[in-house]
């Protein structure tokens, strides 16, 4: 059996060490893909360790830890935003653990496997890893340099090994939105059936795939959901362990199949979570909310507290070009449905997006900001359009010469405040945005909950020291 080191090359939101004192979702949460791979590897009898760059003080510490891990296999994952760090981790492994087998995977290397080979990976496993990674470790020579992982039956998988992330128990106490800590997060399925032009949806459809039954050389999207029983079993295990007060469902879209959601809501009642006042967060499309308001009501009764809606824009021209399949009217009706049900809305808006002609129209963003003022969602989250690799907009933006930066760290990020496209007047955009940002600043500023969190962490560390 092998010693396997899983590497998360993710950069913390405040740079090195952000994961040791997390104040942002990006710093808090375990990498689910790696936590899932860890579970299957451990089940197969391997020794698994994690090197998470968010916890490191710099490259030197990362190198030392990699060398000390004595790994026989180093597995590096990558999302586009972290692809440069992932490449550096592969190169570092070649020096710090020269005998180890270097493997690469994850959405970015699935889309660009050659990049991983050039950075020093011996093999790249595209797509999902649970079934094929143990086989690859057992017999690497039987795999070509680039191969596809066999997609797993999600109900057959062991539950993700979250505690591989040091500090996970402490991170659960972090107050997120109005959810009550401890807060756990999980996924109930893989992928999204829609294909919005700005989103890495097509990339995901390359990731979650299976061979076509008609043409085995071709891969087709394989989006799927776990059974309700399987999700409930994971929640039961998490409940036993952490007695959570909040749940974040990390799926791209929670309401895809209304019947599945209704069954799930009944199961939540049977398990007693609404009675215990467990609140949850989930993302739903505006058109699905309008089409199935009764399901949203069931979700509310089963504990849904915060609903994240990707409004993206309130300009019909822009929504058409973004390929969102919604309209300004649908967005407003969805918001009204959720507010009538007493749900807190987490509103997402994309700003700085040019239309099909490549020109940014300030009135598009003006309309969005006005709509936010009128609707008054509980939370407001905005990003400046970033045509990320894997999205349909990426090549369009490159062909039109719109991209200001093509490096992965810039192009793969949707964080607000980054100037990404030629022709967008970001100064004007920031001026337009300032009053809205000011109104919502209180949600992002440390609040009383943060101090309570820090106190609990301090007590936890003290108790641990005493125990030790
Ligand atoms: C949940 C989530 C988040 C959470 C992360 C929470 C967490 N606990 O991990 C939060 C909200 C923090 C987040 C943040 C961001 N996210 Co996000 N996120 C997701 C989401 C919805 C699910 C990810 C997931 O867990 N998938 C399930 C696991 C099992 O899949 P996986 O990680 O890909 O791993 C599997 C395979 O890839 C493979 N694999 C992975 N690594 C390796 C390594 C080896 C060696 C092998 C063999 C195999 C292998 O095996 C795994 C098991 O099958 C995805 C969309 C999606 N449905 O995947 C977007 C997604 C990954 N995010 C995306 C983006 C853009 C971001 C942000 C950059 C947004 C921003 N702030 O600007 C940040 C960046 C964070 C970062 N630096 O990593 C994009 C990435 C696009 C891209 N080209 O990289 C996605 C695809 C969404 C989209 N459609 O646009 N995200
Ligand atoms: S933006 Fe949302 S609905 Fe559209 S493809 Fe991406 S995840 Fe799916």
């Amino acid at each position: 059996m092998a010693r396997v080191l899983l590497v998360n090359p993710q950069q913390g939101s405040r740079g090195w060490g952000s994961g040791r004192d997390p104040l942002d979702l990006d710093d808090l949460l375990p990498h689910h893909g790696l936590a899932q791979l860890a579970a299957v590897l451990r089940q197969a009898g391997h020794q698994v360790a994690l090197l998470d760059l968010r916890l490191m003080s710099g490259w030197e510490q990362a190198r030392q830890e990699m060398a000390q891990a004595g790994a026989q296999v180093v597995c590096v994952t990558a999302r586009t935003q972290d692809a440069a760090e992932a490449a550096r981790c592969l190169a570092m492994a070649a020096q710090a653990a020269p005998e180890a087998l270097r493997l690469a995977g994850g959405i970015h290397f699935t889309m660009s496997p050659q990049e991983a080979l050039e950075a020093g990976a011996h093999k790249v496993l595209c797509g999902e890893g649970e079934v094929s990674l143990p086989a690859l470790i057992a017999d690497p020579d039987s795999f070509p340099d680039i191969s596809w992982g066999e997609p797993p039956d999600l109900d057959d998988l062991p539950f993700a090994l979250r505690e591989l992330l040091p500090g996970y128990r402490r991170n659960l106490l972090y107050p997120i939105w109005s959810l009550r800590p401890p807060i756990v997060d999980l996924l109930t399925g893989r992928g999204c059936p829609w294909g919005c032009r700005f989103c890495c949806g097509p990339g995901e459809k390359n990731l979650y795939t299976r061979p076509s039954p008609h043409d085995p050389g071709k891969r087709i999207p394989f989006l799927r959901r776990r059974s309700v029983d399987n999700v409930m079993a994971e929640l039961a295990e998490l409940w036993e362990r952490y007695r959570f007060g909040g749940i974040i469902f990390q799926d791209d879209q929670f309401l895809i199949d209304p019947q599945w959601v209704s069954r799930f809501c009944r199961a939540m009642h049977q398990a007693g979570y609404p009675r215990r006042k467990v609140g949850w967060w989930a993302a739903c499309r505006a058109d699905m909310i309008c089409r199935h308001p009764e399901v949203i009501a069931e979700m509310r009764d089963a504990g849904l507290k915060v609903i994240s809606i990707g409004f993206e824009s309130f300009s019909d021209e822009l929504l058409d070009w973004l390929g969102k399949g919604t309209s300004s009217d649908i967005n407003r009706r969805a918001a009204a449905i959720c507010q009538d049900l007493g749900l807190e809305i987490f509103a997402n808006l994309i700003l700085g997006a040019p239309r099909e002609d490549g020109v940014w129209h300030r009135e598009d963003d003006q309309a969005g900001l006005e709509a936010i003022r009128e609707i008054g969602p509980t939370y407001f989250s905005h990003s400046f359009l970033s045509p990320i690799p894997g999205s349909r907009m990426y090549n369009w933006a490159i062909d039109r010469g719109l991209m200001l930066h093509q490096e992965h760290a810039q192009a793969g990020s949707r964080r607000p405040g980054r100037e990404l496209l030629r022709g967008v007047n970001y100064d004007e955009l920031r001026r337009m945005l300032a009053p809205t940002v000011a109104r919502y600043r209180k949600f992002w500023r440390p609040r009383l909950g943060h101090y309570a969190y820090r106190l609990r962490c301090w007590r936890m560390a003290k108790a641990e020291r005493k125990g030790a």
Side-chain angles (χ1 to χ4, degrees), residues 115-422:
E115 250 179 62
L117 294 180
E118 282 160 19
H122 293 117
K123 311 263 174 198
V124 186
L125 194 64
C126 300
E128 294 160 89
E130 290 93 341
V131 178
S132 303
L133 180 58
L136 173 52
I137 291 174
D139 184 9
D141 293 338
S142 66
F143 281 75
D145 287 356
I146 300 173
S147 59
W148 278 93
E150 191 184 318
D153 180 331
L154 299 182
D155 280 3
D156 286 347
L157 296 176
F159 301 138
L161 258 188
R162 296 168 170 79
E163 289 200 39
L164 204 59
L165 178 70
Y168 176 70
R169 276 181 179 260
R170 172 206 62 192
N171 292 3
L172 289 175
L173 300 177
Y174 189 83
I176 304 173
W177 310 307
S178 56
L179 299 181
R180 184 166 52 85
I183 300 167
V184 294
D185 71 324
L186 72 159
L187 286 119
T188 68
R190 292 205 176 159
C192 168
W194 287 277
C196 306
R197 200 179 289 273
F198 57 87
C199 174
C200 188
E204 274 183 41
K205 284 176 192 154
N206 290 332
L207 182 72
Y208 304 119
T209 60
R210 63 187 157 108
S212 156
H214 310 296
D215 174 3
K218 197 174 151 209
R219 299 196 69 89
I220 54 170
F222 188 31
L223 311 176
R224 59 213 186 273
R225 203 137 200 187
R226 297 163 62 185
S227 68
V228 169
D229 285 350
N230 185 260
V231 175
M232 296 313 294
E234 184 169 19
L235 281 176
E237 194 181 290
L238 293 169
W239 176 262
E240 276 315 306
R241 216 173 265 173
Y242 308 119
R243 291 289 192 266
F244 53 79
I247 311 170
I248 299 177
F249 289 103
Q250 292 283 17
D251 307 87
D252 293 298
Q253 294 300 327
F254 195 78
L255 178 51
I256 296 173
D257 171 359
Q259 286 171 357
W260 186 97
V261 175
S262 291
R263 280 201 306 280
F264 168 79
C265 290
R266 286 197 293 278
M268 287 292 277
H269 285 289
Q270 275 159 15
Y273 295 119
R275 194 168 25 83
R276 294 176 204 142
K277 302 265 178 287
V278 170
W280 39 286
W281 181 100
C284 297
R285 283 173 58 96
D287 54 346
M288 291 299 279
I289 295 170
C290 293
R291 223 170 286 152
H292 304 286
E294 72 296 344
V295 180
I296 302 293
E298 287 174 43
M299 289 166 71
R300 190 267 322 258
D301 294 344
L304 176 68
K305 196 164 183 209
V306 191
I307 186 162
S308 170
I309 310 177
F311 292 119
E312 324 303 8
S313 173
F314 283 79
S315 146
D316 287 341
E317 287 85 346
L318 193 61
L319 282 167
D320 269 358
W321 166 235
L322 293 177
K324 188 74 198 183
T326 55
S327 66
S328 166
D329 177 55
I330 291 175
N331 281 347
R332 285 172 195 275
R333 280 194 286 132
I337 290 169
C338 294
Q339 285 175 329
D340 286 350
L341 288 170
L343 292 169
E344 295 176 7
I345 295 178
F346 187 100
N348 300 280
L349 216 56
I350 297 177
L351 301 169
R355 291 190 199 167
E356 192 171 1
D357 56 8
V359 178
W360 174 65
H361 297 252
R362 78 184 293 285
E363 64 271 24
D364 289 340
D365 290 347
Q366 198 70 53
L369 294 168
E370 270 163 27
I372 292 295
R373 250 193 310 280
E374 284 163 28
I375 292 170
T378 312
Y379 308 97
F380 168 64
S381 163
H382 70 281
S383 59
F384 291 168
L385 179 82
S386 163
I388 54 178
S391 71
R392 289 192 282 153
M393 263 193 171
Y394 183 61
N395 287 339
W396 169 83
I398 289 180
D399 292 348
R400 283 192 166 255
L402 293 179
M403 301 285 279
L404 286 171
H405 320 272
Q406 285 183 35
E407 318 85 72
H408 294 319
Q410 300 285 346
S413 163
R414 295 189 298 234
R415 281 190 169 274
R418 301 200 177 180
E419 304 201 354
L420 295 153
L421 294 175
R422 204 159 271 127

